[in-house]
Amino acid sequence: MNSVLELDHVSLSYQGKPVLAECSMSLQEGDFCYLLGPTGSGKSSILKLFYRETKPTKGDVKLHGESIQNLADRKIPFIRRQLGVVFQDFQLLHDRNVFENIAFALRVTGTPSSTIDQRVKHLLDLVGLGHKKKEDVRVLSGGEQQRIAIARALANDPDVLLADEPTGNLDPGASTVIMELLHQINKEQNVTILMVTHDHSLVKRYPGKRLELKDGTLYDPSVTPTQRLSSI
Amino acid sequence: MSLGYSIKEGFAGFGRTKLASATSTFSLFIAVLLAGFLTRGGYALYSLAVDLTDEVQMEIFFAPISDDRIQEFGDYIEEQPWVESIMFTSKETASERFRAEFGDGFGSEALAELDFLPASYTVTMTPETPIEEIQQQVERLEEFQEVDDIAFNAALYQQLRSRVDQSIWVGISVASVILIASIWLVFNTIRLTIYAKRDTIKAMKLVGATNAFIRRPFVIEGVLQGWIGSLLAFGVLDALFRWAVPLAIPQMGIVPWPLGAWYYLALSMFVLGTLIGLLGSTIASHRFIRLA
């Protein structure tokens, strides 16, 4: 089975300060994986490597088996269209309404208007906000804004969704809605999800594959240290 | 990528950042207004200077020779590259003018009868001929036996010509400074707009928007600012020369439009405004969207 997301001995430094050291991971199609670790451990940096916001100092970053770290800058938008990305702070376009926020992701790919209307309606129904199509995004609750961000991330039908602490700014009720939505997308649409979080209670309630990041090193906590040593 | 969408966004962007757009449009309006004012005023002054220069002509007076020889000489002069036009004044016409100018008093009629006024050619020089060459031609023509005398005020001609040249250079320099300053103003305003929208631009990039896609509405916004600024500038310029200037300086009257019609200047101002808006926004969006 081909890897959808892969890090192969990746190291990363910011201004000479090491953040990741020899990290390797591989996610298959349909995986739901949590990326855990304390604040500042480099979890978001791993997502940035996948959407090419940053480049590794060493190693290989692969998307669908293709290395992306040496991709020309002009090709980065096309890589990002294959991914959906959601953030803790939603990163919506505040000068546009709900419909336009989702439609924008389709417009950049040159989708015809008639298709955009249908697709946005479908996505809004999926996240349960079909009735808020014309609302200003600034008046929506945090949970609703995150659902709009997820709808936007899914606009171009990606097979990978990167979620950077998507429940970090939400109350428990809204967090539950978001987690159920992400799991629904994972199961029904077979979208591979890599979710950064430090909320272990969520991981317990919604089980999935786990990777932990500690002192710049990435490891699978389900594998015992002895097993890890024997695999080297 | 839909051009219609980019145009719609360009117009919408104008409303979304009202203060920045208004500042940019105002600076553009001032630049185009100044350029228009200089053009109209400068053109009027230039025309006046050229008219004055044209009035400085060369008069070639002939010794008593036959009409045929004078005609031949006239044909020869007319063929010279430094000559724009010539006008012949016969002895008879010269006498009539003398009489008309001095009347019958002081025995002027009797003097005219003496037939001492020579036939002459009045020569208008082409404006591009250097004064040194005209002076050389004067010296050359004076050597012909047929020529009795040549009247040409070289000093006045030179002074007028150098004033015209100076005014052209001053006009071009001032216009260039205004142009560069206005492009810089639009450039900075668009840069500030891009800075204010950096989070939005970042979100756009995350969903896979190319720099060109993000840039296009900013460029359209700049062009729109150019259109509005130049139309306003033309309206104010027209009002200034139609009402304000004649009111303030009545002896000036209505200053004529360059090339004789209002639409040449209107079109030039519109094109200038569009170019400033286009250049300012294109340069700024090229430089700063990449970094946002």
Side-chain angles (χ1 to χ4, degrees), chain B residues 179-192 194 211 215-216 218-220 222-223 274-291:
Chain B
L179 192 72
I180 291 165
S182 53
I183 290 174
W184 187 80
L185 278 170
V186 174
F187 168 86
N188 270 300
T189 315
I190 297 276
R191 189 182 72 163
L192 288 175
I194 290 169
N211 286 347
R215 195 185 300 136
R216 217 182 296 163
F218 284 103
V219 174
I220 289 165
V223 171
T274 308
L275 275 177
I276 295 173
L278 182 70
L279 275 175
S281 58
T282 303
I283 299 168
S285 59
H286 258 277
R287 278 187 66 179
F288 298 107
I289 285 176
R290 205 158 24 94
L291 305 173

Side-chain angles (χ1 to χ4, degrees), chain B residues 217-230:
Chain B
F218 284 103
V219 174
I220 289 165
E221 202 177 319
V223 171
L224 189 66
Q225 288 167 2
W227 288 352
I228 296 172
S230 56

Side-chain angles (χ1 to χ4, degrees), chain A residues 28-195:
Chain A
Q28 314 300 317
E29 193 181 317
D31 277 350
F32 192 113
C33 180
Y34 293 103
L35 184 54
L36 297 145
T39 305
S41 59
K43 303 184 297 292
S44 298
S45 296
I46 287 183
L47 296 196
K48 283 180 181 174
L49 287 167
F50 285 120
Y51 61 83
R52 256 305 301 273
E53 182 73 14
T54 189
K55 286 203 261 188
T57 33
K58 208 179 111 191
D60 224 0
V61 182
K62 291 180 182 172
L63 179 68
H64 300 296
E66 300 283 334
S67 290
I68 58 167
Q69 74 267 20
N70 294 323
L71 216 60
D73 284 355
R74 64 189 161 81
K75 288 189 177 167
I76 295 171
F78 302 97
I79 284 291
R80 290 179 180 172
R81 290 174 199 177
Q82 298 175 36
L83 303 164
V85 192
V86 286
F87 295 93
Q88 182 177 356
D89 60 353
F90 324 127
Q91 300 218 358
L92 296 173
L93 308 173
H94 289 130
D95 53 4
R96 276 151 240 239
N97 65 19
V98 167
F99 177 89
E100 277 304 323
N101 262 275
I102 302 167
F104 183 80
L106 293 159
R107 291 193 206 285
V108 300
T109 59
T111 310
S113 294
S114 54
T115 313
I116 290 175
D117 289 347
Q118 289 170 11
R119 182 83 184 135
V120 174
K121 186 180 180 307
H122 166 75
L123 290 163
L124 282 173
D125 289 341
L126 176 75
V127 299
L129 291 173
H131 58 294
K132 301 232 168 170
K133 186 177 157 183
K134 291 186 176 170
E135 296 261 347
D136 185 332
V137 290
R138 287 169 296 191
V139 302
L140 300 179
S141 69
E144 287 172 330
Q145 288 195 45
Q146 194 58 290
R147 280 146 74 189
I148 298 301
I150 292 170
R152 184 183 67 183
L154 296 173
N156 286 309
D157 211 9
D159 47 15
V160 178
L161 188 68
L162 304 172
D164 193 353
E165 307 240 22
T167 58
N169 274 352
L170 306 178
D171 59 55
S175 297
T176 302
V177 172
I178 295 300
M179 287 309 295
E180 278 171 6
L181 181 59
L182 290 175
H183 273 270
Q184 182 195 341
I185 292 161
N186 173 244
K187 285 198 175 72
E188 291 177 5
Q189 300 183 23
N190 203 34
V191 173
T192 307
I193 297 180
L194 176 60
M195 177 176 154

Side-chain angles (χ1 to χ4, degrees), chain B residues 2 12 34 42 57 64 69 87 95 101 132-133 178 188 198 210 254-255 258-259 266-267 279:
Chain B
S2 157
L34 277 172
Q57 293 163 323
R69 187 74 193 105
M87 197 180 72
S95 298
E101 201 161 324
E132 295 78 16
E133 193 185 327
I178 290 170
N188 270 300
R198 65 195 182 284
T210 58
I254 301 284
V255 174
L259 307 175
L267 188 69
L279 275 175

Side-chain angles (χ1 to χ4, degrees), chain B residues 87-256:
Chain B
M87 197 180 72
F88 177 64
T89 306
S90 64
K91 290 162 69 89
E92 294 73 27
T93 311
S95 298
E96 276 168 29
R97 281 195 194 147
F98 183 85
R99 256 185 241 114
E101 201 161 324
F102 294 98
D104 294 332
F106 309 106
S108 60
E109 200 164 341
L111 280 171
E113 290 302 319
L114 287 173
D115 199 24
F116 73 96
L117 294 167
S120 63
Y121 279 116
T122 306
V123 181
T124 304
M125 287 74 70
T126 53
E128 61 273 10
T129 312
I131 183 70
E132 295 78 16
E133 193 185 327
I134 296 173
Q135 280 177 315
Q136 279 174 12
Q137 296 298 336
V138 170
E139 286 164 17
R140 197 169 66 82
L141 290 172
E142 276 174 341
E143 286 172 10
F144 283 89
Q145 285 182 343
E146 294 90 338
V147 175
D148 181 45
D149 190 21
I150 294 179
F152 173 60
N153 193 340
L156 177 63
Y157 187 80
Q158 190 167 18
Q159 198 175 17
L160 281 169
R161 285 280 296 274
S162 78
R163 290 285 177 273
V164 171
D165 289 348
Q166 278 170 5
S167 61
I168 288 171
W169 282 110
V170 168
I172 289 172
S173 308
V174 173
S176 304
V177 169
I178 290 170
L179 192 72
I180 291 165
S182 53
I183 290 174
W184 187 80
L185 278 170
V186 174
F187 168 86
N188 270 300
T189 315
I190 297 276
R191 189 182 72 163
L192 288 175
T193 310
I194 290 169
Y195 183 76
K197 287 184 177 179
R198 65 195 182 284
D199 290 338
T200 302
I201 291 168
K202 192 179 165 199
M204 288 174 171
K205 285 183 171 181
L206 283 171
V207 297
T210 58
N211 286 347
F213 185 87
I214 300 169
R215 195 185 300 136
R216 217 182 296 163
F218 284 103
V219 174
I220 289 165
E221 202 177 319
V223 171
L224 189 66
Q225 288 167 2
W227 288 352
I228 296 172
S230 56
L231 288 175
L232 283 173
F234 183 76
V236 170
L237 183 82
D238 188 37
L240 266 175
F241 280 99
R242 197 185 292 265
W243 293 296
V245 173
L247 199 71
I249 318 164
Q251 58 271 36
M252 267 193 87
I254 301 284
V255 174

